[in-house]
Amino acid sequence: FLFTNYSFASSDAGFVETIKASEPMTSALVAYMWKIEVLTLKEVCSLIAICFGVVISTMGNHPAPSSEIIISSSSLIMKIQASSIIMSANLCFSFRGMYQKVFRKTSLGSSKVLDDFFLQYTMHRIGIMVLLIPLFVWDGPRLLKTMLQRNDSYERDDNDDNDRGKSTMVYYLILSCINGFAFTHYNLASSFVLTRISVVHHAALNCIRRLFAIVVLSIIFKAPITFTSATGILISIGGFIAFTYYK
């Protein structure tokens, strides 16, 4: 998720979602190399259809502006760097699923000893311990400087600007809490599903989640789904049904 956040910060959402659509293929490759799963040709073709459909639907929902048709050498390097970060996120996602499956087969990782809730709690606790020091080292001084500048501006500004700044901070904290709540429950649901299905099937289901997000966001923000996006959604759903049938 750290690599995913970096990728969204360094590139547009459409490009990130397009590259992340290859998650089922990276999961299949990892599972095959570590001899966790054996895929038939029909299953591989179904995964390709899922990835292709997600790419088509994402491109239809995030059309590139005409100014981006001409790609300079600097923008090309940035795209390559962003692609590397996104592929690193995909690989981390695939290895996370693989190692969770391997861990579940051990005596310590049995669901009778360690349930999904406590497993997710342990993973988040380790993640906090790993990222806490880099957070203070890299972002701590900048955050402290921003807070001090904001306090100085509050002292100089009038009451209206002061109230506006405080309301913005409260709004940010509320959104952070909602995001944290949704993120935690998404990971818990992901662990729950991964315990019961294969690594590749879980990655394919996660890819379908992106299509669900496109449809829901289109309904909430009243953005029409283009013909290209609808075609990609149908292709991905068909590929997922075929993969589930052959699996």
Side-chain angles (χ1 to χ4, degrees):
F1 289 102
L2 177 64
F3 283 125
T4 301
N5 289 339
Y6 273 123
S7 62
F8 276 113
S10 60
S11 186
D12 60 278
F15 180 76
V16 173
E17 293 292 347
T18 301
I19 303 298
K20 284 192 70 64
S22 62
E23 277 181 5
M25 301 308 299
T26 57
S27 295
L29 180 62
V30 168
Y32 175 78
M33 292 180 64
W34 267 259
K35 299 180 180 180
I36 294 180
E37 294 186 39
V38 178
L39 299 177
T40 64
L41 179 60
K42 292 180 179 179
E43 291 173 353
V44 173
C45 291
S46 301
L47 290 177
I48 294 175
I50 294 173
C51 297
F52 180 73
V54 174
V55 170
I56 294 298
S57 62
T58 304
M59 292 176 63
N61 233 41
H62 299 277
S66 57
S67 59
E68 293 184 359
I69 296 179
I70 301 177
I71 302 178
S72 62
S73 58
S74 59
S75 62
L76 181 60
I77 294 175
M78 292 179 63
K79 290 290 185 182
I80 294 175
Q81 291 176 346
S83 300
S84 301
I85 296 174
I86 301 168
M87 288 305 299
S88 299
N90 286 356
L91 288 174
C92 289
F93 178 86
S94 302
F95 278 110
R96 170 237 173 175
M98 184 198 71
Y99 281 116
Q100 181 172 331
K101 278 294 184 182
V102 173
F103 178 69
R104 279 300 191 190
K105 293 180 180 179
T106 63
S107 58
L108 294 176
S110 173
S111 57
K112 297 180 180 179
V113 179
L114 190 66
D115 60 8
D116 295 319
F117 183 84
F118 192 75
L119 175 63
Q120 196 59 228
Y121 165 74
T122 305
M123 292 169 60
H124 279 268
R125 185 179 62 182
I126 295 175
I128 291 175
M129 292 172 61
V130 171
L131 295 177
L132 200 57
I133 294 178
L135 172 66
F136 284 121
V137 172
W138 291 335
D139 293 333
R142 181 175 58 85
L143 291 175
L144 181 61
K145 181 179 179 180
T146 302
M147 293 176 62
L148 292 175
Q149 290 178 348
R150 188 175 294 274
N151 289 333
D152 292 340
S153 63
Y154 287 164
E155 294 177 358
R156 291 192 302 267
D157 295 340
D158 54 16
N159 292 330
D160 292 339
D161 292 337
N162 216 346
D163 294 338
R164 192 182 304 113
K166 290 181 180 179
S167 62
T168 302
M169 181 62 67
V170 171
Y171 180 70
Y172 170 76
L173 292 176
I174 292 175
L175 287 181
S176 298
C177 291
I178 295 175
N179 182 56
F181 179 83
F183 176 77
T184 301
H185 283 76
Y186 161 74
N187 282 321
L188 184 61
S190 179
S191 296
F192 180 84
V193 172
L194 183 58
T195 303
R196 289 153 180 81
I197 61 177
S198 66
V199 175
V200 182
H201 204 166
H202 175 259
L205 189 62
N206 188 65
C207 218
I208 296 298
R209 173 185 62 85
R210 303 184 186 283
L211 303 179
F212 180 77
I214 291 176
V215 174
V216 170
L217 290 176
S218 298
I219 295 174
I220 293 177
F221 295 105
K222 297 180 180 180
I225 298 179
T226 63
F227 175 77
T228 303
S229 182
T231 302
I233 291 174
L234 292 177
I235 293 174
S236 289
I237 293 176
F240 181 76
I241 294 174
F243 179 79
T244 303
Y245 175 76
Y246 292 127
K247 194 67 179 177

